[in-house]
Amino acid sequence: MAYQISDECISCGACEAECPVSAISAGDDKYVIDADACVECGACAGVCPVGAPNAE
Ligand code: SF4
Ligand code: SF4
């Protein structure tokens, strides 16, 4: 299953540059992941300061 970003996201933007397939972009109130593009590498979860990206 693709990663998703929870409401814990503080829109710091750190994850966007880490995604190897550019699946992450800024949304209205948090960053969002394109589920069709995500390859489940976990890089976003590794850099997020609040643990918002998860594979649930
Ligand atoms: Fe991008 Fe990897 Fe995060 Fe998926 S798990 S959004 S491919 S950084
Ligand atoms: Fe949101 Fe975490 Fe990405 Fe920062 S690194 S934009 S807090 S999901």
Side-chain angles (χ1 to χ4, degrees):
M1 175 177 283
Y3 274 64
Q4 297 180 332
I5 294 175
S6 75
D7 291 343
E8 300 301 307
C9 175
I10 56 173
S11 296
C12 72
C15 58
E16 186 175 12
E18 297 299 319
C19 181
V21 294
S22 299
I24 305 173
S25 59
D28 290 337
D29 53 5
K30 65 176 183 176
Y31 273 57
V32 294
I33 293 172
D34 178 348
D36 292 330
C38 177
V39 295
E40 304 171 45
C41 70
C44 51
V47 298
C48 181
V50 296
N54 61 77
E56 294 299 320

